[in-house]
Amino acid sequence: MHPRVHLHKQLERGTGWTTVRERERAREKMRPTPMDYFAELEDQGTTVAMDVDDVDPLEIFGGEGVLSVDNKLADADFFNAFEDDFDDADIN
Amino acid sequence: MGSIENLVTQIQGLSGSIDDIAHLHNILKVADESLHAEPSALSSVLDQVDPAKHSLGYLYFLEAFTSGPVSKEQALTLIPILARFINCCDAQQIRFAPDKFVSVCKRFKDHVLLIESPLRGVSPMRAAVRKLQTTSEHLTTLHPDFLLLCLLSKSYNIGLSVLEDDIFDVDQPRDLFLYCYYGGMICIGQKRFRKALELLHNVVTAPMNAINAIAVEAYKKYILVSLIHYGQFSTSLPKYASSAAQRNLKNFCQPYIELATTYSSGKIAEFKIYVDTNREKYDNDKNLGLVKQVVSSMYKHNIQRLTQTYLTLSLQDIANTVQLGSPKEAEMHVLQMIQDGEIFATINQKDGMVRFLEDPEQYKTCQMIEHIDSSIQRIMTLSRKLNAMDELMSYDPLYLSKVGRERQRFDFDDFDTVPQKFPI
């Protein structure tokens, strides 16, 4: 396994010491699987997720994050005052 | 005023070669503060400078001239000046001062909204996007503003032309959220549901440390469009969605999750009762129109399910099974679905029988081969881009410094040639 990818996975795990056995298990998880290039984009339930660890994503932007971390919704002031234009009864 | 006249002379003299324009830019940067000190003095000067030939100089004047709040009447005067500049300015020159160009364009957008005439902004904003972009893969901060004007003016087709570009380069994360959300709405307006789902999916699964209002609204529409297009919806988010989204998104969208659960029963009467009970919530979110499309889609998906069981069926049986009012109604639905390519069938009007057919596509026409070939090319391009991005990340100082900081937590066996610390 590429050393950079290996360290990336260690970082995500965030559990401190990692044994050789755990590293080998991680290597097995990272083994590439054939990709179905022609699969249609299905709904969320059948979407093939990327083969990543089952942990929180790496927060590469640090503690503060890209968006403000309040208890409120971020970007709550965004413009969303559109008319409801999707009623087909208007067309039919 | 004398110094402004000197500046005009310099702008007229130094707008030729790239070197001259770079030199002019340095002069304009120094003069910028004085331009902002007396913006009203610039109105007469604008006529002395050509927005097409002297775009950079004109941009500095225009940006200073239009700074500050304006009334509706002032906006009416400024809009044609701004539109003319955006349409005819030289892209190479304005890219020397992208922030100023963005300011001018955003003010233009605000002015057209102030006079409640978003349509007037659509064409100039599209031109602005193309001029600011370094490549067609570059998402600028003007993209969401352009799509917003398309939505308000119901110019969905024009918005689609920009949405066809694949985006790989983003200035600000908020731009991506808005671009994908507004873009999803435009695709819904054009009934391009699959593309809409792709864009809304991007919003919902984008990295976010805290739950984002744009993602919440996108998720609501995502649920509805998923029901319309696929007739089903799964609440599980993919692994690569942020933990903030995984933990919180559903809490903000409960009426929509419950709508999807009721939909999955396939019982139209029950579903309609649920919609009527919660009508106000969907109306407040301006999603009632889309919810009505979900109701219509239930008939469609129930008919589609019949094609998996029956070879022939009478219109009366279809009406009874799908809970339509009459065979005539069933005929209208089936005809529409045949026209839209959603089922393959023939109707014998003599005996009121519908014969369901197999998909005639043999996947061996020239058109299909071209389509498959272009899909393969697209995937290969994506793969190359991913490899390039992966490589770039491996050199990123921010990434390496974080990796370096975590070094001491590793087992002795895990040590390799990566240096221990990366000072930033």
Side-chain angles (χ1 to χ4, degrees):
Chain A
M1 187 197 307
H2 193 287
R4 177 186 55 76
V5 173
H6 171 60
L7 288 170
H8 177 98
K9 290 181 63 58
Q10 299 301 340
L11 180 63
E12 281 190 329
R13 210 184 290 274
T15 52
W17 297 105
T18 310
T19 64
V20 170
R21 224 172 258 168
E22 284 175 325
R23 184 178 53 183
E24 281 167 358
R25 273 203 291 273
R27 277 205 191 106
E28 280 173 10
K29 260 192 183 176
M30 286 293 292
R31 193 168 294 130
T33 52
M35 279 182 66
D36 184 357
Y37 288 101
F38 302 106
E40 284 200 336
L41 182 68
E42 297 294 345
D43 66 302
Q44 291 281 44
T46 57
T47 300
V48 176
M50 284 170 14
D51 186 19
V52 294
D53 273 346
D54 206 4
V55 293
D56 285 348
L58 178 64
E59 292 177 3
I60 59 171
F61 295 105
E64 283 185 351
V66 174
L67 304 163
S68 63
V69 184
D70 285 330
N71 290 329
K72 304 175 287 192
L73 289 175
D75 284 324
D77 60 345
F78 87 101
F79 185 94
N80 196 30
F82 303 103
E83 260 180 45
D84 185 353
D85 193 37
F86 300 144
D87 188 350
D88 279 353
D90 297 342
I91 305 166
N92 299 327
Chain B
M1 193 65 187
S3 63
I4 292 181
E5 290 297 339
N6 284 340
L7 201 52
V8 169
T9 309
Q10 283 177 310
I11 288 169
Q12 289 167 343
L14 292 172
S15 294
S17 67
I18 286 291
D19 291 338
D20 282 347
I21 294 167
H23 178 48
L24 175 65
H25 189 216
N26 291 331
I27 296 170
L28 288 167
K29 278 194 282 192
V30 169
D32 193 35
E33 208 175 309
S34 62
L35 293 177
H36 277 86
E38 277 184 83
S40 53
L42 298 171
S43 60
S44 56
V45 163
L46 280 174
D47 293 331
Q48 298 175 42
V49 180
D50 185 335
K53 285 187 206 161
H54 315 128
S55 301
L56 186 58
Y58 196 98
L59 174 60
Y60 266 78
F61 285 156
L62 192 61
E63 195 272 328
F65 179 56
T66 57
S67 58
V70 297
S71 64
K72 253 187 181 175
E73 291 68 34
Q74 286 169 321
L76 277 166
T77 312
L78 285 173
I79 283 168
I81 299 171
L82 289 163
R84 183 177 159 237
F85 170 70
I86 292 169
N87 283 326
C88 71
C89 68
D90 177 42
Q92 202 174 40
Q93 290 195 37
I94 59 102
R95 281 184 198 149
F96 275 89
D99 291 344
K100 286 215 178 284
F101 184 69
V102 164
S103 289
V104 161
C105 293
K106 283 189 180 284
R107 277 174 213 159
F108 172 69
K109 176 213 76 182
D110 291 339
H111 293 348
V112 296
L113 292 182
L114 181 63
I115 66 163
E116 294 171 23
S117 186
L119 188 58
R120 286 178 74 171
V122 169
S123 179
M125 281 302 278
R126 182 170 58 171
V129 161
R130 293 300 185 209
K131 287 183 183 183
L132 189 62
Q133 273 183 316
T134 46
T135 67
S136 64
E137 298 173 354
H138 174 210
L139 181 74
T140 70
T141 193
L142 295 180
H143 275 78
D145 292 327
F146 164 67
L147 294 179
L148 186 152
L149 291 176
C150 288
L151 281 167
L152 286 171
S153 61
K154 305 194 198 326
S155 311
Y156 299 126
N157 218 15
I158 302 176
L160 260 186
S161 63
V162 160
L163 289 169
E164 297 298 348
D165 296 334
D166 286 329
I167 296 295
F168 294 101
D169 186 11
V170 177
D171 285 344
Q172 294 292 330
R174 185 187 149 106
D175 296 335
L176 182 71
F177 278 95
L178 289 173
Y179 170 79
C180 290
Y181 176 65
Y182 294 152
M185 288 178 70
I186 285 182
C187 291
I188 291 169
Q190 291 290 92
K191 301 224 179 282
R192 295 273 300 268
F193 293 123
R194 192 171 156 167
K195 177 86 182 167
L197 284 169
E198 193 181 301
L199 289 164
L200 296 170
H201 176 91
N202 287 344
V203 185
V204 168
T205 57
M208 58 182 115
N209 284 335
I211 192 70
N212 183 296
I214 306 167
V216 168
E217 296 308 313
Y219 194 52
K220 291 174 184 173
K221 288 184 166 61
Y222 183 89
I223 294 170
L224 298 175
V225 176
S226 194
L227 292 173
I228 293 168
H229 189 59
Y230 291 117
Q232 58 184 329
F233 169 75
S234 169
T235 55
S236 58
L237 290 169
K239 278 185 182 178
Y240 49 82
S242 67
S243 50
Q246 303 263 15
R247 281 197 298 266
N248 300 305
L249 214 45
K250 287 167 211 165
N251 299 337
F252 288 94
C253 304
Q254 272 306 120
Y256 296 83
I257 306 274
E258 285 163 14
L259 183 94
T261 307
T262 314
Y263 187 99
S264 65
S265 72
K267 293 174 186 162
I268 289 179
E270 265 181 44
F271 185 68
K272 280 182 172 176
I273 290 169
Y274 183 84
V275 168
D276 283 335
T277 309
N278 295 277
R279 190 183 186 87
E280 201 181 327
K281 287 176 199 164
Y282 304 126
D283 203 16
N284 290 340
D285 289 342
K286 301 283 192 288
N287 283 329
L288 187 59
L290 214 48
V291 170
K292 289 180 184 176
Q293 285 197 42
V294 174
V295 176
S296 304
S297 79
M298 202 175 214
Y299 294 107
K300 185 180 76 174
H301 290 298
N302 285 349
I303 293 173
Q304 273 176 331
R305 237 168 281 163
L306 291 174
T307 69
Q308 289 159 15
T309 310
Y310 300 98
L311 286 175
T312 58
L313 206 56
S314 69
L315 288 168
Q316 183 67 61
D317 284 335
I318 293 174
N320 293 342
T321 312
V322 175
Q323 296 173 51
L324 287 164
S326 64
K328 196 70 193 162
E329 246 187 274
E331 188 180 356
M332 297 302 299
H333 273 88
V334 170
L335 272 171
Q336 188 63 51
M337 289 175 73
I338 293 170
Q339 200 174 330
D340 295 340
E342 287 161 350
I343 56 169
F344 304 98
T346 54
I347 303 176
N348 186 333
Q349 287 185 316
K350 234 196 244 179
D351 57 11
M353 292 298 290
V354 178
R355 174 179 285 279
F356 298 118
L357 306 169
E358 293 291 327
D359 183 354
E361 180 61 63
Q362 295 285 300
Y363 298 95
K364 56 185 181 185
T365 61
C366 289
Q367 201 180 1
M368 181 52 70
I369 290 168
E370 269 174 35
H371 175 67
I372 293 172
D373 185 61
S374 75
S375 296
I376 293 171
Q377 295 300 326
R378 188 161 176 254
I379 296 289
M380 285 168 64
T381 305
L382 274 172
S383 173
R384 278 194 292 272
K385 287 230 175 270
L386 266 174
N387 285 336
M389 286 165 78
D390 189 49
E391 200 175 314
L392 265 178
M393 234 185 77
S394 68
Y395 308 144
D396 185 82
L398 201 64
Y399 168 80
L400 288 170
S401 75
K402 184 133 186 175
V403 162
R405 276 201 296 275
E406 295 291 323
R407 281 302 269 117
Q408 60 274 20
R409 295 160 92 190
F410 298 145
D411 190 283
F412 179 79
D413 289 334
D414 298 328
F415 274 49
D416 57 22
T417 55
V418 175
Q420 202 154 24
K421 280 183 186 168
F422 279 89
I424 298 297

